[in-house]
Amino acid sequence: MSASTRVFHHGPKPISLTEFRDALEAVCLPRFPTVRFARPRRVALAVSGGVDSMAMAFLFSSLFKTHQTFKIADNPAESAFGIVIDHQLREGSDAEASSVAHELKRIGIKAIIKTLNWRDVRRDGMNPASLPNLESVARTMRYQVLGLTCGHLQATSLFFAHHSDDHYETILMRLLAGHGYRGLQGIRAANAIPECYELHGVYKSGILDDQMQRQPFLSFKPPNKELKQLRMILRDDFHDEPWSHIKTYLGINDISAQFPGHITRDIDPRVPYLTPLNCEDGGVHVYRPLLEFDKDRLIATCEANRVRWFEDHTNTDPTLTTRNALRYIARSYKLPEALQKPAVLALARRAKQKTNFEEAEAHRLLIREAVIQDFDPNAGTLLIELPSFVTSASRARRLYAASRDEARRPRRRAIAAIAVRKLVDFVTPYLHSPSRANLDSVIDRLFPELSSSRQGEVPKAFSIAGVVFEPILGPQSTRWFLSRAPYKSNHPLPERKLPGHLGYKLISGTDGFKGPQVRHGPWRSWKMAKIWDGRFWIRLNTCVPARFHIRPLQPQFARQFRLALPQKERYRLEKILRYYAPGKVRYSLPALYSVESGEGTDPATPTMTLLALPSLGIHVPGLERWVKCEVRYKNVDVSLLGLQRRGGQRPLVVYRPRSGRSRQVRRRRLANRMRTGGHACRVCRRGRTSTAHG
């Protein structure tokens, strides 16, 4: 009788703690590499109750128990909170949310239950479950609740439990929709929280408020202990060289101590100095550390550790959503090999790699050529000088040079489009940058050498994505001035309202702003900043009940505002507007208006009075006794600012590349012939030959 052979049943194994920590370190990269000290901070987990989110919660709980301190992004992790969203779309959802919270507490994770508010939908007599765009509306509301909860918890890291199966289904959906390779990257492992564009401190903002605290979570200054040790080490050399010089060698200067978003401006004695606005940064970042793990391994993790999960039966209905239908097809049928999971995920990796290469090349182009010459956050304008893609004269004479340029044109246009998108982001009021397909005509205008139909045309002004490109013709190159496009007459002006009431009037002269006749109370806390026109974060602080509007500067209110200013301040305003906001740019500046109930013949129409231009720091006299206004610019890529084009400065060491071996040999032979008279003989022979032929 033969011996029985052993059979190994291969099944999915649970995710180990080492694998999970490695995934966290790979996904949660530092957002601010120049941070010198970081305080511990909470992290938030989006928990739906499914097997994927419960497995992630258990792994976080085990990680906190095993490793007392581990770093997530920039801060050490202090604790984790599970946020459970009750959508209120089916019966028993509240009881299910309570069960999920109870299970989270059992495994050692603090839980918070948040309920979506469908009051506005039900007020119109509609059932939220019957909305045609229910999935997108619920997604927006869910992200906003998650963002607000993270802001309340002071957590800047929000974790989702998307796994490789979700990644695969997302790519199939985008293939079905006809996306290009940039859309076929699938789910991102890390990105800023979406759908929270108007929430300050949540979407790409909040670091300036953190730096104003007495004990900020992030410190960009060297610790006092480190500075003290350096002083002790260099105490003997202090008399030979001052400390102000020594600390620059060590990288400890005023620039390194500033936080990201701090912009400096050169002082020009010809124009009044205007302190540049700081640019916002920070906010909540979404991380997905489980994208490399299959759902089977998440199920095995929960089963091995006896963690309960709660299935949502709507996820198995193939007639409900496109994702459910694709999930049913992928599980029930054998798809072609090109549409199976390994091939599709490999396609996503190649698409991501190609996209990253293009983004990096466009970023290097903007830095190498120092495209941005001046950026003014107070007016939201940008001055650029674009590089040229024209082939140099020496290379143009080479064989097949024209064919090479023609073959490289599509890639050069792609890089130019990405670079233009990065530049438009500085000025555009829109939430999203224009797609590459909409930038074809823009590339033809900005880079005529990459176009086949605009060679030799005179540059003209145009607009795209709410940004006006105005050419500034020069003797050698053309610079472009980017500013906010004028507001359309058939669209309402951007406006932000603050409730309350304040009785006052504006008079000319030095008295300026006449406040209410009642005695004002103590200063209140700052209101949450609001985004205005997609560019400026503005917040107010008042010591009296007040009602103000933030609107663009309008000509009909400007004359009375100028008369209310003192003469010296009036001249300063004219110079600032002439230099920083020329032409129609000034009518895109944010302005603070007072609003009073109408009087006389039309009491329904409110009376508005211009009180201040907060981004320029100019206001009527006396306003500071009642109102304080703070303005910041939106988040921009500050790494592209303050650069100098390569070759602009003369290098300290002159370096000339050595010639090739063949060229050196030819030069040596020519020199020998010149010394031996071979050159004259060759000329004579050439002359005799030409004479004989003649």
Side-chain angles (χ1 to χ4, degrees):
M1 184 176 180
S2 60
S4 60
T5 58
R6 294 183 178 181
V7 179
F8 294 94
H9 298 279
H10 298 281
K13 65 176 183 178
I15 301 174
S16 65
L17 209 56
T18 304
E19 290 179 297
F20 182 66
R21 184 171 184 178
D22 292 342
L24 282 178
E25 293 178 352
V27 172
C28 305
L29 300 177
R31 299 169 59 186
F32 305 103
T34 58
V35 169
R36 306 300 294 267
F37 174 76
R39 289 173 51 203
R41 203 160 195 167
R42 300 167 179 168
V43 297
L45 314 178
V47 181
S48 63
V51 63
D52 45 4
S53 59
M54 295 304 295
M56 182 183 67
F58 171 78
L59 291 171
F60 263 105
S61 176
S62 302
L63 193 61
F64 277 106
K65 294 176 182 178
T66 306
H67 304 277
Q68 296 296 330
T69 57
F70 62 94
K71 197 172 183 180
I72 292 180
D74 300 294
N75 300 83
E78 181 183 42
S79 60
F81 279 78
I83 306 176
V84 183
I85 302 296
D86 181 11
H87 291 78
Q88 292 286 319
L89 294 176
R90 52 188 172 86
E91 295 183 1
S93 61
D94 51 351
E96 183 177 327
S98 300
S99 301
V100 173
H102 180 74
E103 183 66 17
L104 288 176
K105 294 179 182 178
R106 189 187 69 82
I107 63 178
I109 297 293
K110 300 177 183 179
I112 300 176
I113 300 177
K114 292 293 181 178
T115 304
L116 297 187
N117 189 358
W118 300 95
R119 184 186 310 166
D120 296 337
V121 178
R122 291 192 173 96
R123 186 182 302 164
D124 298 335
M126 297 179 60
N127 183 13
S130 62
L131 291 175
N133 57 342
L134 174 63
E135 193 173 359
S136 61
V137 173
R139 178 180 182 273
T140 300
M141 296 177 63
R142 180 170 62 250
Y143 271 113
Q144 291 179 355
V145 171
L146 289 172
L148 290 173
T149 307
C150 289
H152 176 71
L153 295 174
Q154 294 184 337
T156 57
S157 299
L158 176 62
F159 288 89
F160 281 80
H162 294 100
H163 45 80
S164 61
D165 292 359
D166 297 329
H167 193 36
Y168 170 57
E169 294 163 3
T170 301
I171 302 170
L172 286 181
M173 292 174 61
R174 296 184 180 180
L175 277 172
L176 188 63
H179 284 263
Y181 68 92
R182 299 183 72 88
L184 296 180
Q185 301 176 76
I187 303 176
R188 294 185 179 181
N191 61 279
I193 185 171
E195 309 297 342
C196 299
Y197 310 112
E198 297 189 357
L199 299 180
H200 185 264
V202 178
Y203 181 74
K204 295 184 179 181
S205 58
I207 194 172
L208 298 181
D209 289 344
D210 177 68
Q211 297 302 303
M212 294 172 61
Q213 295 181 3
R214 188 173 183 179
Q215 293 182 345
F217 282 98
L218 298 177
S219 177
F220 297 89
K221 297 181 180 180
N224 295 331
K225 184 178 180 180
E226 182 179 344
L227 290 177
K228 186 176 180 180
Q229 292 177 353
L230 290 174
R231 290 190 182 97
M232 293 177 62
I233 295 174
L234 302 173
R235 182 174 51 187
D236 298 336
D237 299 334
F238 180 76
H239 299 286
D240 299 335
E241 191 172 6
W243 170 251
S244 59
H245 292 176
I246 296 175
K247 68 179 183 179
T248 58
Y249 304 152
L250 303 174
I252 307 172
N253 48 35
D254 295 336
I255 298 179
S256 64
Q258 298 293 349
F259 48 84
H262 180 81
I263 297 178
T264 58
R265 175 177 287 157
D266 296 335
I267 298 178
D268 190 350
R270 298 172 297 178
V271 296
Y273 180 77
L274 187 61
T275 304
L277 300 178
N278 291 326
C279 297
E280 278 287 3
D281 205 342
V284 179
H285 229 58
V286 174
Y287 299 102
R288 301 175 178 89
L290 301 180
L291 280 180
E292 299 297 328
F293 300 99
D294 296 335
K295 186 175 182 178
D296 295 339
R297 297 197 62 185
L298 300 178
I299 296 176
T301 303
C302 290
E303 290 178 346
N305 298 280
R306 298 180 180 180
V307 178
R308 293 177 57 201
W309 70 87
F310 307 86
E311 294 288 351
D312 187 359
H313 300 290
T314 59
N315 292 334
T316 59
D317 185 2
T319 63
L320 190 60
T321 61
T322 306
R323 182 180 293 273
N324 290 356
L326 289 175
R327 184 182 298 134
Y328 174 78
I329 293 174
R331 292 180 179 179
S332 303
Y333 300 94
K334 184 178 180 181
L335 298 178
E337 187 175 356
L339 294 179
Q340 293 180 7
K341 186 177 178 179
V344 172
L345 294 183
L347 172 65
R349 286 192 292 269
R350 293 194 300 270
K352 182 179 180 180
Q353 185 180 25
K354 182 178 180 180
T355 303
N356 292 339
F357 284 163
E358 291 180 347
E359 293 285 344
E361 186 173 351
H363 190 80
R364 288 195 303 269
L365 175 67
L366 295 176
I367 291 179
R368 182 179 65 247
E369 301 297 335
V371 174
I372 298 179
Q373 296 190 347
D374 182 54
F375 171 60
D376 182 19
N378 300 74
T381 58
L382 193 69
L383 181 64
I384 62 174
E385 183 177 357
L386 296 172
S388 176
F389 287 94
V390 177
T391 306
S392 60
S394 59
R395 293 187 177 184
R397 292 193 297 267
R398 296 180 180 179
L399 190 62
Y400 306 120
S403 301
R404 290 194 187 96
D405 290 343
E406 188 65 26
R408 293 170 180 169
R409 180 179 297 179
R411 179 169 179 80
R412 289 177 175 177
R413 289 181 64 90
I415 300 303
I418 297 174
V420 170
R421 288 185 62 184
K422 293 179 179 294
L423 298 175
V424 169
D425 282 339
F426 279 82
V427 185
T428 180
Y430 297 164
L431 297 175
H432 304 287
S433 303
S435 61
R436 281 180 48 187
N438 297 333
L439 292 176
D440 288 338
S441 60
V442 176
I443 300 304
D444 294 339
R445 293 172 180 266
L446 298 179
F447 302 93
E449 63 274 11
L450 299 180
S451 174
S452 57
S453 59
R454 292 185 176 270
Q455 298 287 344
E457 291 188 6
V458 179
K460 298 180 181 179
F462 64 94
S463 62
I464 182 71
V467 180
V468 174
F469 285 73
E470 298 182 12
I472 303 177
L473 302 180
Q476 296 181 353
S477 61
T478 300
R479 296 187 298 174
W480 294 86
F481 183 72
L482 279 64
S483 61
R484 172 68 164 94
Y487 301 104
K488 298 180 180 180
S489 58
N490 56 351
H491 287 73
L493 295 175
E495 186 174 17
R496 283 292 180 184
K497 302 178 182 179
L498 294 178
H501 178 72
L502 177 64
Y504 55 84
K505 61 180 180 179
L506 190 65
I507 58 178
S508 60
T510 58
D511 294 336
F513 177 73
K514 185 177 181 181
Q517 302 302 322
V518 297
R519 183 179 180 181
H520 65 79
W523 287 97
R524 303 175 182 179
S525 59
W526 285 96
K527 302 293 183 181
M528 179 180 290
K530 301 292 184 180
I531 189 72
W532 179 82
D533 197 30
R535 299 178 296 152
F536 296 94
W537 290 101
I538 304 177
R539 64 176 183 175
L540 295 180
N541 187 8
T542 63
C543 60
V544 291
R547 185 173 63 171
F548 299 105
H549 286 197
I550 301 294
R551 303 186 66 181
L553 174 63
Q554 296 177 266
Q556 60 268 30
F557 302 104
R559 183 176 181 276
Q560 188 179 5
F561 176 70
R562 288 190 179 94
L563 294 177
L565 297 176
Q567 185 175 6
K568 185 177 180 180
E569 191 72 7
R570 196 181 309 164
Y571 291 156
R572 183 173 180 270
L573 173 62
E574 295 296 335
K575 291 183 179 180
I576 288 178
L577 292 178
R578 190 182 305 113
Y579 182 79
Y580 293 100
K584 296 182 180 180
V585 178
R586 63 189 62 182
Y587 299 120
S588 63
L589 297 175
L592 178 64
Y593 293 87
S594 66
V595 181
E596 294 181 283
S597 57
E599 299 178 357
T601 59
D602 192 4
T605 303
T607 303
M608 300 184 63
T609 306
L610 177 60
L611 298 179
L613 297 175
S615 65
L616 304 183
I618 297 178
H619 57 80
V620 295
L623 183 67
E624 67 277 1
R625 300 197 305 264
W626 312 97
V627 181
K628 296 179 182 179
C629 186
E630 193 174 75
V631 185
R632 302 160 183 173
Y633 202 70
K634 67 175 183 177
N635 175 253
V636 296
D637 189 359
V638 295
S639 64
L640 302 177
L641 304 177
L643 303 173
Q644 187 170 6
R645 179 166 295 186
R646 181 178 295 182
Q649 289 183 345
R650 186 176 179 180
L652 298 178
V653 180
V654 179
Y655 170 75
R656 291 183 180 180
R658 298 182 61 182
S659 303
R661 180 67 180 173
S662 59
R663 183 172 297 180
Q664 292 179 5
V665 172
R666 289 197 300 269
R667 288 180 177 178
R668 191 181 301 113
R669 290 176 180 175
L670 180 60
N672 293 334
R673 290 172 182 172
M674 293 289 292
R675 286 195 299 268
T676 58
H679 178 68
C681 296
R682 186 169 62 253
V683 173
C684 295
R685 287 196 300 269
R686 185 180 302 171
R688 287 196 300 269
T689 304
S690 60
T691 304
H693 283 286

